[in-house]
Amino acid sequence: MRAIRIEEFGGPEVLVPVEVPDPVAGPGEVLVRVAAAGVNRADALVRSGRYHRAGRPPLIPGAEAAGTVAAVGEGVSGFAPGQRVLALDGGKAPGFYAESAVVPATQLVALPDGVDLTTAATLPVAWLSAWYCLRRLARVGKDDTVLVKAAASGVGTAAVQIAAATGARVLALAGSAGKAAWAGEFGAHATVDGSAHPGEAEVEEVLRLTEGRGADVVLDTVGGRAFGLSLREVAQGGRVVALANVALEPSTVDTRDFYPKNASILGFQLTNLQLSGWDPRPDLRELVDGVAAGDYRVPIETVLPLDQARAAHERLESRDSRGKIVLTVAGAGR
């Protein structure tokens, strides 16, 4: 089968199309013919050797996909050949930048009508992360004000919609005026242009928009020095959810910025949550049903064929993209 493999850690140029043996489903596993694979920042970290669970090359990246069942292993029930599914990485190679992948049945969800495979491939990482952080960790409700950082990203556009669907008031912060305005189209009640409000000015703007109170929930996907701002922007008794550190730099925390507020800092990392025994299927089903019902819009900016994984990563790392980037497999259906 055709796959994209990392032979050595490095830049997008190390994503090499190769031919590898077809995988075979073992007990408790399902062989999935991949139609589309989502591209995530975690994939770029794997490629560069900066992801804690990446292992060593050669590696096939890709943590989320959608496709059809090709075969089921011993002991698997509830899935049959030809069935449309979305899949979350179960930690077993190969990854989803490939024509086929073996997936534990516990990492698969059947797709309802009304959700195409390209859209479905974007849900198991960014959307599920936003969903879990807001619905399960922060327990966002209709009386909350939620500040979403990097709101034009895949996680950000998902978070704006998920928070707004609860009835919460949503502030969308993005790195440019154009990105902020675009993120606002997904249900935000106010937007913040980070380029016009750097550093201390960002804090002042968030406080202005919340009448000095701060946000009940801050979803921080940026990390680094920006995380310290999140602690100053959270309200009394609020919750700051640390989802990522795309800044790839240490976050300096002054405890005086949050303990007098009785605020909470909540950490989230999808793969480690899976290792703790969490079953993602109930949350994925609820999320997918919401997409099928039209409750959420999934913005997909770029769709490229599998062999152009390098171009997909270059686009991802340009920081100019809005919404999701997807790789598709020719002839696999949509």
Side-chain angles (χ1 to χ4, degrees):
M1 71 172 183
R2 197 73 165 164
I4 301 298
R5 192 162 66 188
I6 300 166
E7 305 292 345
E8 61 180 355
F9 292 134
E13 72 281 356
V14 305
L15 295 166
V16 180
V18 295
E19 291 288 336
V20 297
D22 289 335
V24 177
E29 297 175 338
V30 175
L31 177 64
V32 175
R33 297 294 184 199
V34 176
V39 177
N40 295 283
R41 295 204 179 276
D43 300 343
L45 294 177
V46 168
R47 188 205 71 226
S48 63
R50 294 179 290 181
Y51 194 69
H52 69 290
R53 288 188 62 212
R56 304 296 304 176
L59 295 168
I60 296 175
E64 62 179 356
T68 56
V69 173
V72 298
E74 181 183 351
V76 173
S77 61
F79 294 103
Q83 190 173 11
R84 300 166 68 250
V85 293
L86 75 155
L88 177 63
D89 172 33
K92 179 176 179 179
F96 293 123
Y97 287 17
E99 292 178 328
S100 298
V102 165
V103 187
T106 54
Q107 303 294 115
L108 284 178
V109 171
L111 280 176
D113 293 337
V115 182
D116 65 85
L117 293 174
T118 301
T119 298
T122 71
L123 301 178
V125 174
W127 275 81
L128 182 60
S129 295
W131 176 274
Y132 192 93
C133 286
L134 295 174
R135 296 286 298 269
R136 307 301 180 214
L137 284 181
R139 300 185 181 278
V140 171
K142 62 182 179 61
D143 295 325
D144 288 325
T145 294
V146 180
L147 172 62
V148 177
K149 297 198 168 184
S153 66
V155 172
T157 52
V160 168
Q161 295 180 69
I162 291 166
T166 70
R169 180 170 182 256
V170 183
L171 312 180
L173 188 154
S176 69
K179 284 187 174 183
W182 183 74
E185 297 175 7
F186 293 92
H189 299 80
T191 61
V192 180
D193 172 9
S195 65
H197 299 89
E200 180 66 29
E202 176 190 308
V203 178
E204 292 174 356
E205 180 66 1
V206 170
L207 292 177
R208 184 187 71 81
L209 290 170
T210 57
E211 299 181 342
R213 183 173 176 274
D216 299 289
V217 175
V218 180
L219 185 63
D220 189 307
T221 63
V222 180
R225 286 169 287 184
F227 186 71
L229 302 179
S230 294
L231 299 179
R232 297 171 61 192
E233 293 158 351
V234 71
Q236 290 281 342
R239 293 88 77 198
V240 178
V241 183
L243 171 60
N245 187 335
V246 298
L248 298 177
E249 62 185 23
S251 300
T252 301
V253 174
D254 186 338
T255 57
R256 294 170 296 184
D257 287 334
F258 72 93
Y259 82 76
K261 302 177 183 179
N262 293 306
S264 301
I265 299 176
L266 303 166
F268 172 84
Q269 214 285 326
L270 182 62
T271 49
N272 284 341
L273 186 63
Q274 292 173 267
L275 290 174
S276 71
W278 167 66
D279 185 345
R281 290 172 294 180
D283 288 299
L284 274 174
R285 290 190 187 104
E286 193 171 350
L287 179 56
V288 169
D289 287 345
V291 174
D295 297 336
Y296 306 117
R297 286 190 291 144
V298 182
I300 297 174
E301 187 219 53
T302 302
V303 179
L304 293 169
L306 181 65
D307 281 359
Q308 292 188 30
R310 172 177 177 171
H313 276 230
E314 289 172 344
R315 179 62 181 163
L316 178 73
E317 294 185 316
S318 72
R319 301 293 178 93
D320 290 330
S321 61
R322 301 179 184 180
K324 289 287 292 187
I325 299 171
V326 180
L327 296 172
T328 58
V329 177
R334 297 292 174 265

